[in-house]
Amino acid sequence: MIRREQSELAFTQAQQVFPGGVNSPVRAFKAVGGTPVFIDSAKGAYLYDVDGNAYIDYVLSWGPMILGHANDQVVSAVQKSLYKGTSYGAPSPLETKLGKLLQERIPQLEKIRMVNSGTEATMSAIRLARGVTGRDKIIKFIGCYHGHSDSFLVQAGSGVATFGLPNSPGVTQGTAQDTLTLPYNDIDSLRACFDKEGSNIAGVIIEAVAGNMGLIKAEQGFIDEIRHLTKMYGSLFIVDEVMTGFRVNYTGAVGLYNLDADLICFGKVVGGGFPMALFGGKKKYMDIVTPSGTVYQAGTLSGNPIAMVAGYETVKNLTPSVFDKMTRLTDRLCEGLKKVALEHNVPLQVVHVGTMFSFFFNNKSVRNFEDSKASDQERFAQVYRTLLEKGIYLAPSQYESNFMSAAHTETEIDKTITAFDQVLGEIYG
Ligand SMILES: *Cc1c(COP(=O)(O)O)cnc(C)c1O
């Protein structure tokens, strides 16, 4: 047993200050049990806790640290930038520099608005969709998570699913009524909904690769039908790439599926570990945002210079060859986990797309939230805790995705596979 006394002490103290001892719910480890690991520092592929234990990190701050923790280039660019001031509240060329780089990678970002979190990006995108169409209703899919603004806390995945909440108290009925929820990958219910409500629907928002109910890919036919129906009914097609952007593919989910999206939301990776996100898309819609248009959107720290620099260094250093290396390592890890599970006769579904992966203790493939929920979560929790003891830090809920970084190497991958083999051996013989 590794010692975690300092983490336990830190958790006790944090519980006196924060609800549940944390500032974001899944961090409390409720789904897997035990004490959350309190972090002292992080470098490369590793987290170091307050007791001095090292962990191979597959959470990577829930995705952003794609170059690895404390990447030298990012740190040195941020250091230089700090001395030039940390917030201006006025425009700076750094915003345009990052914006242009993002446009080169994702040409569909004809115009962009920088914001501070994924929650803000999706919230602003649906406001824009409502403003453009003059309609109230949006469609989201069950198990997809789009941040914690009211409209999205209806049948949301991620933390909301981890805590078994259908939706959150505090969301008014009026707001909940305007959010229509449909099962993921279900073309028939999508058609039926448009048949009935089409002329009231401002937009459809989706994680084209869902990462907040475990990792689940949208089927191409399903995605194509969303595009077809939204065009037919004059609704906006909004792709939430806060997690998938620069992760499932070099050009994100819009590149992976060749999507003609109206609006796209990015976050996590684009901020390089700082609070930064954005929404963007077709110029004809984005120009309706204030001040060029009338749909209000603003932010004191939006376009923050430090976040711009960190985002720029991160995306710039994320070259196709770096991306390929991460994809290969993700494949290697997932193939290894599958093989080990097979040897131990443990039913396991391993899903991976680009640099993201997750696994379900389930004997059939997982297509939607219902399937995900039906997986053996007790087994997940037990395996999770035992892997943690061996220095493997995965996302502490089956409903979350795991991530690869450019700092991981075959050494970490093979250690992880070996640990998984030992864990299944210890638990199942
Ligand atoms: C993380 C996430 C969000 C919310 O982003 P925050 O920065 O946590 O507000 C929105 N959508 C998706 C798909 C996410 O994964």
Side-chain angles (χ1 to χ4, degrees):
M1 290 289 270
I2 61 174
R3 294 163 73 94
R4 278 214 295 274
E5 286 151 22
Q6 294 304 318
S7 271
E8 276 155 26
L9 181 65
F11 192 41
T12 305
Q13 289 170 346
Q15 280 170 306
Q16 292 158 11
V17 185
F18 309 114
V22 291
N23 285 304
S24 193
V26 184
R27 294 180 197 172
F29 273 41
K30 283 211 164 162
V32 290
T35 305
V37 177
F38 274 64
I39 306 304
D40 175 63
S41 67
K43 180 73 187 169
Y46 290 87
L47 287 177
Y48 300 92
D49 73 8
V50 288
D51 289 281
N53 302 304
Y55 302 85
I56 301 173
D57 183 17
Y58 293 105
V59 181
L60 297 166
S61 186
W62 308 91
M65 312 317 296
I66 197 161
L67 299 179
H69 292 286
N71 171 275
D72 290 340
Q73 270 125 324
V74 177
V75 168
S76 114
V78 164
Q79 260 172 346
K80 271 189 219 133
S81 183
L82 284 170
Y83 290 100
K84 297 176 76 178
T86 57
S87 181
Y88 309 135
S92 94
L94 297 171
E95 295 154 71
T96 315
K97 190 174 162 190
L98 175 57
K100 288 231 181 255
L101 177 64
L102 294 171
Q103 284 176 328
E104 276 168 32
R105 298 283 174 93
I106 319 272
Q108 296 192 46
L109 288 174
E110 291 172 7
K111 281 225 168 145
I112 294 169
R113 171 59 55 87
M114 305 286 191
V115 298
N116 304 288
S117 70
T119 294
E120 258 187 84
T122 55
M123 176 187 83
S124 307
I126 57 160
R127 181 184 305 138
L128 179 56
R130 286 170 167 156
V132 164
T133 58
R135 302 171 183 176
D136 290 341
K137 296 205 189 294
I138 55 157
I139 292 179
K140 80 173 278 292
F141 298 98
I142 299 167
C144 284
Y145 179 68
H146 303 291
H148 67 95
S149 80
D150 286 3
S151 296
F152 295 125
L153 286 183
V154 184
Q155 304 263 8
S158 193
V160 198
T162 302
F163 294 99
L165 304 170
N167 40 58
S168 172
V171 174
T172 65
Q173 272 192 359
T175 301
Q177 264 165 22
D178 285 334
T179 303
L180 307 174
T181 59
L182 300 176
Y184 199 72
N185 275 330
D186 183 340
I187 292 185
D188 293 340
S189 67
L190 180 71
R191 285 188 185 136
C193 185
F194 266 97
D195 261 354
K196 188 157 164 264
E197 294 275 1
S199 57
N200 301 319
I201 293 170
V204 178
I205 186 164
I206 189 169
E207 290 180 84
V209 177
N212 287 290
M213 46 178 152
L215 194 63
I216 303 180
K217 273 179 89 165
E219 288 151 17
Q220 184 78 45
F222 177 63
I223 283 280
D224 291 344
E225 188 65 13
I226 297 176
R227 179 64 285 187
H228 170 71
L229 289 169
T230 45
K231 271 215 173 104
M232 193 159 105
Y233 284 91
S235 317
L236 269 63
F237 179 26
I238 307 165
V239 179
D240 180 354
E241 292 237 41
V242 172
M243 188 184 284
T244 54
F246 303 96
R247 276 257 168 226
V248 292
N249 184 292
Y250 189 63
T251 49
V254 290
L256 185 67
Y257 288 91
N258 192 21
L259 295 181
D260 168 31
D262 294 313
L263 298 175
I264 318 174
C265 303
F266 285 90
K268 298 193 169 113
V269 167
V270 292
F274 285 81
M276 199 285 261
L278 60 94
F279 67 105
K282 294 197 169 144
K283 187 176 171 309
K284 65 178 171 189
Y285 300 131
M286 288 304 294
D287 278 340
I288 296 172
V289 175
T290 48
S292 55
T294 51
V295 171
Y296 195 72
Q297 202 289 325
T300 302
L301 293 173
S302 295
N304 175 268
I306 308 298
M308 295 298 110
V309 165
Y312 181 83
E313 282 304 314
T314 299
V315 176
K316 194 189 74 184
N317 284 296
L318 197 58
T319 59
S321 74
V322 169
F323 197 87
D324 285 348
K325 183 200 138 194
M326 286 189 285
T327 305
R328 273 201 308 278
L329 287 177
T330 311
D331 290 348
R332 183 186 180 97
L333 176 61
C334 291
E335 290 314 310
L337 297 179
K338 272 187 217 168
K339 190 162 159 271
V340 165
L342 202 66
E343 281 163 10
H344 289 274
N345 252 328
V346 174
L348 186 76
Q349 302 294 322
V350 185
V351 184
H352 59 112
V353 186
T355 67
M356 292 168 62
F357 67 98
S358 76
F359 51 91
F360 304 91
F361 289 97
N362 197 323
N363 51 22
K364 52 182 201 98
S365 69
V366 174
R367 282 184 70 232
N368 56 36
F369 184 56
E370 281 304 306
D371 296 345
S372 173
K373 238 176 22 184
S375 309
D376 189 339
Q377 308 207 34
E378 238 164 78
R379 185 172 274 191
F380 180 91
Q382 193 181 14
V383 168
Y384 182 89
R385 289 193 302 268
T386 321
L387 277 170
L388 191 68
E389 286 287 317
K390 298 189 185 302
I392 312 296
Y393 192 86
L394 293 163
S397 163
Q398 173 212 271
Y399 295 121
E400 305 288 346
S401 294
N402 297 285
F403 304 95
M404 192 64 66
S405 86
H408 286 71
T409 67
E410 289 182 1
T411 308
E412 283 78 32
I413 302 311
D414 294 347
K415 268 194 195 159
T416 307
I417 296 168
T418 305
F420 193 63
D421 188 24
Q422 289 168 349
V423 167
L424 294 191
E426 281 169 32
I427 301 179
Y428 304 106

